[in-house]
Amino acid sequence: MNAVSEPITPDAAVPPALADERMREIGAFRKFLSRPEFGSISGTVLVFVLFGLAAGDSGMFNPEGIVNWLTVAAFLGLIAAGAALLMIGGEFDLSIGSMIGFSGMMLAIPCLYWGWPVWLACAFAFGCAMALGALNGWLVVRTGLPSFIVTLAFYFILRGLSLALSTMLTGKTILSTQGDLVLRDLIANDPLVGALFQGHVLTGLFDRLSHGGWIAARDDGTALAIGVPKVVVWWLVLTVGGAFTLARTRFGNWILASGGDPVAAKNVGIPVARVKVILFVLMACFSTLFAVLQVADAGSAAADRGLQKEFEAIIAAVIGGCLLTGGYGSIVGAAFGALIFGMVQIGIGYTSIDNNWYRVFLGLMLLIAVLFNNYVRKRFALGKR
């Protein structure tokens, strides 16, 4: 008599499926850890805590103190945004600082010596910068030379042009007045340039807060902190616009692809050469915007302005998560990198620390950022999140 076998259940017949590694869910915190902004945001929090403990009662975090270090951060943030876009696209621009000095002189000389209206001189400065940026980009993509070499050459060319032209045309290297003409007044009296680049916003709100006793006031009752400088507004606009372009537009995808693998990008139809030239033009525009805002704020132009700003912009971009090899980075991260710079540069003055330590801090931040970004890149490339 044959024994009756037990029925085979479906669970017993089919072995359990192995979990697919590619389909696992990644938590929000782990996603944040893999973002390029993580390092700069963490650094910003750390700097806030350190200066909160060391200079919390010194006025650094009063409205006027905040405006001071926000202004420094905003100026650097303008060019850091352009440097970040270029680095994500796989290129460098070492002529940023020289372009600042050159553009400032191209604004001041026509106003003070040629009788041009300020708006036309401003347009002339932007036009010259865009042409030079296009030439930079064209030389890089046409010759195949590293952008480091090409823009290093323009670093010296533009700095020399600024000094030579200003001396030849005006006999001076610092321009603020010429006869009865005062550069600051000319800018203030131009309805377009004055409204866009000079002064502060929200001054009425600050005055109302001072009348209500919320913030410190002057003897005449107006706020000690005049308002939010327009350079801060420009910084926020460019940061938001750059971040949106990079994350939500086709051109942003082109930038990432061109920096990540230009050969593969060309093979799928991306105009890599045109993308890189546009990025150099944008970098020149951001440098000129820095120069115009600085001239409007200081009321003068100098041929040696912008010294070493190219290195600070690149460091801010690296702190913000941009890789030196291209194809990865963040505009928002570069903004936080610039914020760290502004807080440290101004915050040291609110403490008893010697200002000479500022450069030491920058070097350490760059080294730490490169090491951290290299670690993130390896995990990103290997899919280990």
Side-chain angles (χ1 to χ4, degrees):
M1 183 175 179
N2 296 331
V4 179
S5 59
E6 296 183 0
I8 300 176
T9 62
D11 291 339
V14 182
L18 295 176
D20 192 339
E21 180 73 9
R22 298 169 298 175
M23 299 299 291
R24 74 186 190 279
E25 290 189 6
I26 302 174
F29 181 69
R30 291 181 66 88
K31 287 182 180 178
F32 175 65
L33 292 180
S34 66
R35 293 290 303 171
E37 304 93 350
F38 171 71
S40 59
I41 293 175
S42 302
T44 302
V45 173
L46 177 61
V47 170
F48 261 103
V49 172
L50 290 177
F51 279 104
L53 296 174
D57 56 351
S58 64
M60 179 179 173
F61 295 99
N62 292 344
E64 56 273 17
I66 293 174
V67 167
N68 286 338
W69 49 261
L70 267 183
T71 301
V72 174
F75 271 109
L76 179 58
L78 295 178
I79 52 177
L85 286 174
L86 257 180
M87 291 180 66
I88 295 169
E91 305 293 345
F92 286 94
D93 190 348
L94 295 181
S95 65
I96 295 172
S98 298
M99 183 68 77
I100 291 171
F102 178 79
S103 298
M105 299 306 287
M106 291 304 99
L107 169 63
I109 291 174
C111 290
L112 294 175
Y113 289 86
W114 299 347
W116 289 17
V118 177
W119 67 267
L120 182 58
C122 188
F124 175 69
F126 274 100
C128 290
M130 291 174 66
L132 290 168
L135 179 59
N136 255 339
W138 181 82
L139 286 173
V140 169
V141 301
R142 184 70 175 177
T143 64
L145 291 172
S147 55
F148 174 87
I149 299 299
V150 174
T151 58
L152 182 61
F154 271 86
Y155 167 87
F156 291 105
I157 291 171
L158 291 177
R159 186 66 71 188
L161 278 175
S162 301
L163 293 167
L165 290 177
S166 61
T167 302
M168 181 178 66
L169 296 174
T170 70
K172 297 183 288 186
T173 58
I174 300 177
L175 304 178
S176 59
T177 61
Q178 168 59 20
D180 296 332
L181 298 177
V182 179
L183 185 57
R184 183 190 297 274
D185 295 339
L186 290 175
I187 295 174
N189 293 330
D190 188 287
L192 178 61
V193 178
L196 288 176
F197 304 115
Q198 193 176 54
H200 300 71
V201 298
L202 302 178
T203 54
L205 174 61
F206 276 60
D207 286 340
R208 286 194 293 272
L209 291 174
S210 66
H211 292 155
W214 293 94
I215 60 177
R218 303 174 189 270
D219 293 337
D220 60 359
T222 59
L224 188 59
I226 301 174
V228 178
K230 288 181 181 176
V231 63
V232 176
V233 179
W234 277 106
W235 176 39
L236 295 176
V237 169
L238 290 184
T239 299
V240 172
F244 178 82
T245 299
L246 201 61
R248 300 293 182 181
T249 67
R250 182 174 62 175
F251 184 67
N253 290 332
W254 287 359
I255 295 173
L256 289 163
S258 298
D261 191 336
V263 175
K266 288 179 182 178
N267 291 338
V268 297
I270 294 175
V272 174
R274 183 172 55 173
V275 168
K276 290 181 182 290
V277 171
I278 291 173
L279 290 178
F280 277 103
V281 172
L282 286 176
M283 185 69 258
C285 285
F286 289 4
S287 300
T288 305
L289 178 60
F290 181 111
V292 172
L293 286 162
Q294 190 177 61
V295 170
D297 179 63
S300 65
D304 61 350
R305 289 264 173 87
L307 190 64
Q308 295 186 346
K309 286 300 178 184
E310 56 278 341
F311 300 111
E312 293 183 4
I314 291 172
I315 293 173
V318 172
I319 292 173
C322 295
L323 296 179
L324 301 177
T325 53
Y328 187 75
S330 168
I331 303 295
V332 175
F336 278 102
L339 184 61
I340 292 173
F341 271 60
M343 290 185 64
V344 173
Q345 185 173 343
I346 300 299
I348 286 179
Y350 285 93
T351 66
S352 58
I353 303 174
D354 187 348
N355 284 333
N356 293 321
W357 287 100
Y358 171 65
R359 298 294 174 185
V360 176
F361 172 83
L362 294 189
L364 288 174
M365 285 297 296
L366 175 61
L367 180 60
I368 293 171
V370 170
L371 293 174
F372 177 80
N373 291 343
N374 186 56
Y375 169 77
V376 171
R377 180 187 63 80
K378 288 181 179 178
R379 292 185 63 86
F380 181 79
L382 297 175
K384 296 179 180 180
R385 302 199 186 180

